[in-house]
Amino acid sequence: MKFFADTAEIADIKELAATGLLDGVTTNPSLIMKSGRDFMEVTKEICSIVSGPVSAEVVALDHEGMMREAEVLRKIADNVCIKVPLTLEGLKTCKALTSDGSMVNVTLCFSANQALLAAKAGATFVSPFVGRHDDNGFDGMQLIGDIRLIYDNYDFRTEILVASVRHGIHVLEAAKIGADVMTAPPAVIKGLVKHVLTDKGIEGFLADWAKTGQKI
Ligand code: G3P
């Protein structure tokens, strides 16, 4: 499963990229607002740090407007992935952009039927929001399972990008289902490495090693 960082914070992206575990980045207008950075500038900087897809979202709601914005965004770098909302206008834009060779991430997916439409529109990625789904009393992981089943039934190549990931259990369940990608805040990705028994084990080994008086 590929790991994308859901952030526009350069320091966090650099830290994760240095581990070799980062396959891409997703941003959205809220994350850009939080970063306090200029959208074009920060997207360009992220694209220079990460070689994988970097999602940058359009804000127009009509097809012509989305196409105009996508034209600006795809000039930033070759690894920009245009993010469009899961609306009829967004799907129309997805079809046009992917037919033209651009990567497209169809975002704000909350149903398996929406994901089916995204795949039919040729999306590179579809982003079901599991956390927001759970928040509203639905089962986010059931949605991922349904999309996996449908995509496998028809051999759709659209990658399932599990978004709105809030904790390690989301990551674990997404991996068990066979989602292609998950995007999570840097703190969630870094938290995956933590285990109390790992820390305790290191502590014990180091204490015993010190008693040997040896050096490597
Ligand atoms: O990037 C889209 C998605 O991951 C947002 O997550 O936590 O705002 O629901 P969240």
Side-chain angles (χ1 to χ4, degrees), residues 134-182:
D134 292 351
D135 292 347
N136 285 277
F138 298 99
D139 183 347
M141 281 304 151
Q142 178 65 49
L143 173 62
I144 303 304
D146 287 348
I147 299 172
R148 178 76 283 157
L149 179 71
I150 291 167
Y151 282 13
D152 289 349
N153 280 348
Y154 297 98
D155 205 19
F156 281 124
R157 295 301 157 93
T158 298
E159 295 190 31
I160 303 171
L161 196 171
V162 180
S164 188
V165 165
R166 303 274 165 78
H167 45 67
I169 302 297
H170 278 151
V171 180
L172 176 68
E173 293 301 323
K176 280 160 71 179
I177 291 167
D180 304 283
V181 192
M182 74 91 199

Short mmCIF file of all heavy atoms in Angstrom, two decimals, residues 134-182:
data_model
loop_
_atom_site.label_atom_id
_atom_site.label_comp_id
_atom_site.label_asym_id
_atom_site.label_seq_id
_atom_site.Cartn_x
_atom_site.Cartn_y
_atom_site.Cartn_z
N ASP A 134 -17.15 7.95 9.15
CA ASP A 134 -17.35 7.45 10.53
C ASP A 134 -17.99 8.54 11.40
O ASP A 134 -18.92 8.25 12.17
CB ASP A 134 -16.00 7.05 11.17
CG ASP A 134 -15.37 5.83 10.50
OD1 ASP A 134 -16.03 5.18 9.68
OD2 ASP A 134 -14.20 5.55 10.83
N ASP A 135 -17.49 9.77 11.27
CA ASP A 135 -18.01 10.89 12.09
C ASP A 135 -19.51 11.07 11.94
O ASP A 135 -20.18 11.57 12.83
CB ASP A 135 -17.38 12.23 11.64
CG ASP A 135 -15.90 12.32 11.96
OD1 ASP A 135 -15.41 11.48 12.74
OD2 ASP A 135 -15.23 13.22 11.41
N ASN A 136 -20.01 10.70 10.76
CA ASN A 136 -21.44 10.91 10.48
C ASN A 136 -22.28 9.65 10.66
O ASN A 136 -23.40 9.56 10.15
CB ASN A 136 -21.60 11.48 9.06
CG ASN A 136 -21.20 12.95 9.04
OD1 ASN A 136 -22.00 13.80 9.38
ND2 ASN A 136 -19.96 13.23 8.69
N GLY A 137 -21.71 8.68 11.38
CA GLY A 137 -22.47 7.49 11.74
C GLY A 137 -22.48 6.40 10.68
O GLY A 137 -23.27 5.46 10.76
N PHE A 138 -21.61 6.53 9.66
CA PHE A 138 -21.51 5.47 8.65
C PHE A 138 -20.24 4.67 8.90
O PHE A 138 -19.41 5.04 9.72
CB PHE A 138 -21.46 6.08 7.23
CG PHE A 138 -22.69 6.87 6.89
CD1 PHE A 138 -22.70 8.26 7.00
CD2 PHE A 138 -23.85 6.23 6.47
CE1 PHE A 138 -23.84 8.98 6.70
CE2 PHE A 138 -24.99 6.95 6.17
CZ PHE A 138 -24.99 8.34 6.28
N ASP A 139 -20.07 3.58 8.16
CA ASP A 139 -18.89 2.74 8.33
C ASP A 139 -17.93 2.98 7.17
O ASP A 139 -18.12 2.47 6.06
CB ASP A 139 -19.35 1.26 8.39
CG ASP A 139 -18.20 0.30 8.65
OD1 ASP A 139 -17.03 0.74 8.55
OD2 ASP A 139 -18.46 -0.87 8.95
N GLY A 140 -16.91 3.79 7.45
CA GLY A 140 -15.95 4.16 6.41
C GLY A 140 -15.27 2.96 5.77
O GLY A 140 -15.06 2.92 4.56
N MET A 141 -14.95 1.98 6.59
CA MET A 141 -14.23 0.82 6.05
C MET A 141 -15.11 -0.10 5.21
O MET A 141 -14.64 -0.75 4.29
CB MET A 141 -13.56 0.03 7.19
CG MET A 141 -12.30 0.68 7.64
SD MET A 141 -11.16 0.91 6.24
CE MET A 141 -10.29 2.35 6.81
N GLN A 142 -16.41 -0.11 5.53
CA GLN A 142 -17.35 -0.86 4.70
C GLN A 142 -17.34 -0.27 3.29
O GLN A 142 -17.37 -0.98 2.28
CB GLN A 142 -18.77 -0.76 5.32
CG GLN A 142 -19.85 -1.47 4.52
CD GLN A 142 -19.65 -2.98 4.48
OE1 GLN A 142 -19.44 -3.60 5.52
NE2 GLN A 142 -19.69 -3.57 3.30
N LEU A 143 -17.27 1.06 3.24
CA LEU A 143 -17.22 1.75 1.94
C LEU A 143 -15.98 1.33 1.15
O LEU A 143 -16.06 1.04 -0.05
CB LEU A 143 -17.21 3.27 2.18
CG LEU A 143 -16.99 4.16 0.95
CD1 LEU A 143 -18.10 3.97 -0.07
CD2 LEU A 143 -16.91 5.63 1.37
N ILE A 144 -14.83 1.24 1.83
CA ILE A 144 -13.59 0.84 1.14
C ILE A 144 -13.73 -0.59 0.61
O ILE A 144 -13.34 -0.89 -0.53
CB ILE A 144 -12.36 0.95 2.09
CG1 ILE A 144 -12.22 2.37 2.65
CG2 ILE A 144 -11.07 0.53 1.37
CD1 ILE A 144 -12.13 3.47 1.63
N GLY A 145 -14.30 -1.46 1.44
CA GLY A 145 -14.50 -2.86 1.02
C GLY A 145 -15.41 -2.94 -0.21
O GLY A 145 -15.14 -3.71 -1.14
N ASP A 146 -16.48 -2.14 -0.20
CA ASP A 146 -17.42 -2.16 -1.33
C ASP A 146 -16.74 -1.67 -2.61
O ASP A 146 -16.92 -2.24 -3.69
CB ASP A 146 -18.64 -1.27 -1.04
CG ASP A 146 -19.58 -1.88 -0.01
OD1 ASP A 146 -19.42 -3.07 0.31
OD2 ASP A 146 -20.47 -1.15 0.46
N ILE A 147 -15.95 -0.62 -2.47
CA ILE A 147 -15.28 -0.07 -3.67
C ILE A 147 -14.26 -1.09 -4.21
O ILE A 147 -14.17 -1.32 -5.41
CB ILE A 147 -14.58 1.28 -3.36
CG1 ILE A 147 -15.60 2.32 -2.89
CG2 ILE A 147 -13.84 1.79 -4.60
CD1 ILE A 147 -14.99 3.62 -2.37
N ARG A 148 -13.52 -1.73 -3.29
CA ARG A 148 -12.54 -2.75 -3.71
C ARG A 148 -13.23 -3.84 -4.52
O ARG A 148 -12.75 -4.27 -5.58
CB ARG A 148 -11.84 -3.31 -2.47
CG ARG A 148 -10.81 -4.41 -2.65
CD ARG A 148 -9.47 -3.88 -3.18
NE ARG A 148 -9.48 -3.58 -4.58
CZ ARG A 148 -8.65 -2.73 -5.18
NH1 ARG A 148 -7.72 -2.09 -4.53
NH2 ARG A 148 -8.73 -2.50 -6.46
N LEU A 149 -14.38 -4.31 -4.00
CA LEU A 149 -15.13 -5.39 -4.65
C LEU A 149 -15.58 -4.96 -6.06
O LEU A 149 -15.38 -5.69 -7.04
CB LEU A 149 -16.36 -5.74 -3.78
CG LEU A 149 -17.29 -6.83 -4.31
CD1 LEU A 149 -16.61 -8.19 -4.21
CD2 LEU A 149 -18.59 -6.85 -3.52
N ILE A 150 -16.13 -3.78 -6.15
CA ILE A 150 -16.63 -3.29 -7.44
C ILE A 150 -15.48 -3.10 -8.43
O ILE A 150 -15.56 -3.53 -9.59
CB ILE A 150 -17.41 -1.96 -7.25
CG1 ILE A 150 -18.71 -2.22 -6.49
CG2 ILE A 150 -17.70 -1.29 -8.59
CD1 ILE A 150 -19.40 -0.97 -5.97
N TYR A 151 -14.40 -2.49 -7.97
CA TYR A 151 -13.27 -2.26 -8.89
C TYR A 151 -12.68 -3.59 -9.36
O TYR A 151 -12.30 -3.73 -10.53
CB TYR A 151 -12.19 -1.40 -8.21
CG TYR A 151 -12.50 0.08 -8.17
CD1 TYR A 151 -13.77 0.57 -8.46
CD2 TYR A 151 -11.52 1.02 -7.84
CE1 TYR A 151 -14.06 1.93 -8.43
CE2 TYR A 151 -11.79 2.38 -7.82
CZ TYR A 151 -13.06 2.83 -8.10
OH TYR A 151 -13.33 4.18 -8.07
N ASP A 152 -12.61 -4.57 -8.46
CA ASP A 152 -12.06 -5.88 -8.84
C ASP A 152 -13.01 -6.61 -9.80
O ASP A 152 -12.57 -7.30 -10.71
CB ASP A 152 -11.77 -6.74 -7.61
CG ASP A 152 -10.57 -6.21 -6.82
OD1 ASP A 152 -9.85 -5.33 -7.35
OD2 ASP A 152 -10.34 -6.67 -5.68
N ASN A 153 -14.31 -6.44 -9.57
CA ASN A 153 -15.31 -7.09 -10.46
C ASN A 153 -15.10 -6.70 -11.91
O ASN A 153 -15.33 -7.49 -12.82
CB ASN A 153 -16.74 -6.67 -10.07
CG ASN A 153 -17.27 -7.44 -8.88
OD1 ASN A 153 -16.68 -8.43 -8.48
ND2 ASN A 153 -18.37 -6.98 -8.32
N TYR A 154 -14.74 -5.43 -12.12
CA TYR A 154 -14.65 -4.92 -13.49
C TYR A 154 -13.22 -4.58 -13.91
O TYR A 154 -13.01 -3.96 -14.94
CB TYR A 154 -15.56 -3.69 -13.63
CG TYR A 154 -17.01 -4.06 -13.42
CD1 TYR A 154 -17.61 -3.86 -12.18
CD2 TYR A 154 -17.73 -4.68 -14.43
CE1 TYR A 154 -18.93 -4.26 -11.96
CE2 TYR A 154 -19.05 -5.06 -14.23
CZ TYR A 154 -19.63 -4.85 -13.00
OH TYR A 154 -20.93 -5.25 -12.79
N ASP A 155 -12.27 -4.94 -13.05
CA ASP A 155 -10.87 -4.68 -13.35
C ASP A 155 -10.59 -3.20 -13.63
O ASP A 155 -9.81 -2.86 -14.52
CB ASP A 155 -10.42 -5.56 -14.53
CG ASP A 155 -8.93 -5.81 -14.50
OD1 ASP A 155 -8.33 -5.65 -13.43
OD2 ASP A 155 -8.36 -6.15 -15.56
N PHE A 156 -11.26 -2.33 -12.86
CA PHE A 156 -10.98 -0.90 -12.99
C PHE A 156 -9.58 -0.61 -12.48
O PHE A 156 -9.16 -1.17 -11.47
CB PHE A 156 -11.98 -0.07 -12.17
CG PHE A 156 -13.32 0.10 -12.83
CD1 PHE A 156 -14.48 -0.28 -12.16
CD2 PHE A 156 -13.44 0.66 -14.10
CE1 PHE A 156 -15.73 -0.11 -12.75
CE2 PHE A 156 -14.68 0.83 -14.69
CZ PHE A 156 -15.83 0.44 -14.02
N ARG A 157 -8.86 0.25 -13.17
CA ARG A 157 -7.49 0.57 -12.77
C ARG A 157 -7.39 1.75 -11.79
O ARG A 157 -6.31 2.06 -11.28
CB ARG A 157 -6.63 0.87 -14.02
CG ARG A 157 -6.47 -0.33 -14.92
CD ARG A 157 -5.82 -1.47 -14.13
NE ARG A 157 -6.08 -2.78 -14.70
CZ ARG A 157 -5.30 -3.39 -15.56
NH1 ARG A 157 -4.19 -2.82 -15.97
NH2 ARG A 157 -5.62 -4.57 -16.02
N THR A 158 -8.49 2.44 -11.57
CA THR A 158 -8.51 3.57 -10.62
C THR A 158 -8.02 3.08 -9.26
O THR A 158 -8.49 2.05 -8.77
CB THR A 158 -9.94 4.14 -10.50
OG1 THR A 158 -10.32 4.63 -11.79
CG2 THR A 158 -10.02 5.26 -9.47
N GLU A 159 -7.08 3.82 -8.67
CA GLU A 159 -6.55 3.40 -7.37
C GLU A 159 -7.41 3.95 -6.22
O GLU A 159 -7.80 5.13 -6.26
CB GLU A 159 -5.10 3.86 -7.22
CG GLU A 159 -4.19 3.17 -8.22
CD GLU A 159 -2.71 3.41 -7.95
OE1 GLU A 159 -2.31 3.57 -6.79
OE2 GLU A 159 -1.96 3.44 -8.94
N ILE A 160 -7.68 3.10 -5.27
CA ILE A 160 -8.46 3.52 -4.09
C ILE A 160 -7.50 4.21 -3.12
O ILE A 160 -6.59 3.58 -2.58
CB ILE A 160 -9.14 2.31 -3.41
CG1 ILE A 160 -10.04 1.57 -4.41
CG2 ILE A 160 -9.94 2.77 -2.18
CD1 ILE A 160 -10.58 0.24 -3.89
N LEU A 161 -7.72 5.52 -2.94
CA LEU A 161 -6.87 6.33 -2.07
C LEU A 161 -7.67 6.64 -0.80
O LEU A 161 -8.54 7.52 -0.82
CB LEU A 161 -6.48 7.61 -2.83
CG LEU A 161 -5.33 8.48 -2.35
CD1 LEU A 161 -5.02 9.56 -3.38
CD2 LEU A 161 -5.58 9.12 -1.01
N VAL A 162 -7.43 5.89 0.23
CA VAL A 162 -8.20 6.06 1.47
C VAL A 162 -7.78 7.38 2.12
O VAL A 162 -6.61 7.57 2.46
CB VAL A 162 -7.96 4.87 2.43
CG1 VAL A 162 -8.77 5.05 3.71
CG2 VAL A 162 -8.33 3.56 1.74
N ALA A 163 -8.75 8.29 2.25
CA ALA A 163 -8.46 9.63 2.79
C ALA A 163 -9.25 9.87 4.07
O ALA A 163 -10.09 9.05 4.46
CB ALA A 163 -8.81 10.67 1.74
N SER A 164 -8.94 11.01 4.71
CA SER A 164 -9.56 11.34 5.99
C SER A 164 -9.25 10.24 7.01
O SER A 164 -10.10 9.84 7.81
CB SER A 164 -11.07 11.53 5.80
OG SER A 164 -11.68 12.02 6.96
N VAL A 165 -8.01 9.77 6.95
CA VAL A 165 -7.52 8.73 7.86
C VAL A 165 -7.17 9.40 9.19
O VAL A 165 -6.47 10.40 9.21
CB VAL A 165 -6.28 8.04 7.24
CG1 VAL A 165 -5.52 7.23 8.27
CG2 VAL A 165 -6.72 7.16 6.07
N ARG A 166 -7.69 8.85 10.27
CA ARG A 166 -7.51 9.51 11.57
C ARG A 166 -6.58 8.76 12.52
O ARG A 166 -6.08 9.31 13.48
CB ARG A 166 -8.87 9.66 12.26
CG ARG A 166 -9.90 10.42 11.45
CD ARG A 166 -9.78 11.92 11.67
NE ARG A 166 -10.49 12.68 10.66
CZ ARG A 166 -11.81 12.87 10.62
NH1 ARG A 166 -12.55 12.35 11.55
NH2 ARG A 166 -12.35 13.58 9.65
N HIS A 167 -6.39 7.44 12.29
CA HIS A 167 -5.60 6.64 13.24
C HIS A 167 -5.11 5.35 12.57
O HIS A 167 -5.52 5.01 11.45
CB HIS A 167 -6.43 6.31 14.49
CG HIS A 167 -7.83 5.87 14.17
ND1 HIS A 167 -8.08 4.68 13.54
CD2 HIS A 167 -9.02 6.47 14.35
CE1 HIS A 167 -9.38 4.56 13.37
NE2 HIS A 167 -9.97 5.64 13.83
N GLY A 168 -4.27 4.64 13.33
CA GLY A 168 -3.66 3.42 12.82
C GLY A 168 -4.63 2.33 12.43
O GLY A 168 -4.35 1.53 11.54
N ILE A 169 -5.77 2.27 13.10
CA ILE A 169 -6.75 1.21 12.77
C ILE A 169 -7.29 1.42 11.34
O ILE A 169 -7.50 0.47 10.60
CB ILE A 169 -7.92 1.17 13.80
CG1 ILE A 169 -7.39 0.94 15.22
CG2 ILE A 169 -8.93 0.08 13.43
CD1 ILE A 169 -6.69 -0.38 15.46
N HIS A 170 -7.48 2.69 10.98
CA HIS A 170 -7.90 2.96 9.59
C HIS A 170 -6.85 2.43 8.61
O HIS A 170 -7.19 1.84 7.58
CB HIS A 170 -8.04 4.48 9.36
CG HIS A 170 -9.35 5.06 9.82
ND1 HIS A 170 -9.49 6.37 10.25
CD2 HIS A 170 -10.59 4.50 9.90
CE1 HIS A 170 -10.76 6.59 10.57
NE2 HIS A 170 -11.44 5.48 10.37
N VAL A 171 -5.58 2.64 8.94
CA VAL A 171 -4.49 2.20 8.05
C VAL A 171 -4.49 0.67 7.96
O VAL A 171 -4.43 0.09 6.87
CB VAL A 171 -3.11 2.71 8.55
CG1 VAL A 171 -1.99 2.24 7.62
CG2 VAL A 171 -3.11 4.23 8.68
N LEU A 172 -4.59 0.03 9.12
CA LEU A 172 -4.60 -1.43 9.18
C LEU A 172 -5.76 -2.02 8.38
O LEU A 172 -5.56 -2.93 7.55
CB LEU A 172 -4.71 -1.87 10.66
CG LEU A 172 -4.82 -3.37 10.92
CD1 LEU A 172 -3.53 -4.09 10.56
CD2 LEU A 172 -5.17 -3.63 12.39
N GLU A 173 -6.96 -1.50 8.59
CA GLU A 173 -8.14 -2.02 7.90
C GLU A 173 -8.04 -1.78 6.39
O GLU A 173 -8.42 -2.63 5.59
CB GLU A 173 -9.43 -1.40 8.46
CG GLU A 173 -9.73 -1.80 9.90
CD GLU A 173 -9.89 -3.31 10.09
OE1 GLU A 173 -10.44 -3.98 9.21
OE2 GLU A 173 -9.42 -3.83 11.13
N ALA A 174 -7.52 -0.61 6.02
CA ALA A 174 -7.38 -0.29 4.59
C ALA A 174 -6.41 -1.28 3.94
O ALA A 174 -6.64 -1.76 2.82
CB ALA A 174 -6.88 1.15 4.42
N ALA A 175 -5.32 -1.60 4.64
CA ALA A 175 -4.33 -2.54 4.11
C ALA A 175 -4.93 -3.94 3.99
O ALA A 175 -4.67 -4.66 3.02
CB ALA A 175 -3.09 -2.54 4.99
N LYS A 176 -5.72 -4.35 4.99
CA LYS A 176 -6.34 -5.68 4.96
C LYS A 176 -7.31 -5.81 3.79
O LYS A 176 -7.42 -6.87 3.17
CB LYS A 176 -7.06 -5.97 6.29
CG LYS A 176 -6.07 -6.40 7.38
CD LYS A 176 -6.62 -6.24 8.77
CE LYS A 176 -7.70 -7.20 9.14
NZ LYS A 176 -8.16 -7.00 10.53
N ILE A 177 -8.01 -4.73 3.49
CA ILE A 177 -8.97 -4.75 2.38
C ILE A 177 -8.24 -4.74 1.03
O ILE A 177 -8.75 -5.23 0.03
CB ILE A 177 -9.95 -3.55 2.50
CG1 ILE A 177 -10.87 -3.77 3.70
CG2 ILE A 177 -10.77 -3.36 1.22
CD1 ILE A 177 -11.67 -2.54 4.12
N GLY A 178 -7.03 -4.19 1.04
CA GLY A 178 -6.28 -4.11 -0.21
C GLY A 178 -6.43 -2.78 -0.93
O GLY A 178 -6.36 -2.72 -2.16
N ALA A 179 -6.64 -1.72 -0.15
CA ALA A 179 -6.67 -0.37 -0.74
C ALA A 179 -5.30 -0.09 -1.35
O ALA A 179 -4.29 -0.60 -0.85
CB ALA A 179 -7.00 0.66 0.33
N ASP A 180 -5.26 0.69 -2.41
CA ASP A 180 -3.99 0.94 -3.11
C ASP A 180 -3.12 1.96 -2.38
O ASP A 180 -1.89 1.85 -2.37
CB ASP A 180 -4.28 1.43 -4.53
CG ASP A 180 -5.16 0.47 -5.28
OD1 ASP A 180 -4.63 -0.56 -5.73
OD2 ASP A 180 -6.38 0.70 -5.38
N VAL A 181 -3.77 2.97 -1.82
CA VAL A 181 -3.06 4.10 -1.21
C VAL A 181 -3.81 4.54 0.03
O VAL A 181 -5.03 4.40 0.10
CB VAL A 181 -3.04 5.32 -2.17
CG1 VAL A 181 -2.06 6.38 -1.69
CG2 VAL A 181 -2.78 4.94 -3.61
N MET A 182 -3.09 5.07 1.00
CA MET A 182 -3.78 5.79 2.08
C MET A 182 -3.06 7.10 2.27
O MET A 182 -1.84 7.18 2.12
CB MET A 182 -3.86 4.95 3.36
CG MET A 182 -2.58 4.82 4.15
SD MET A 182 -2.48 6.14 5.36
CE MET A 182 -0.72 6.12 5.73
#
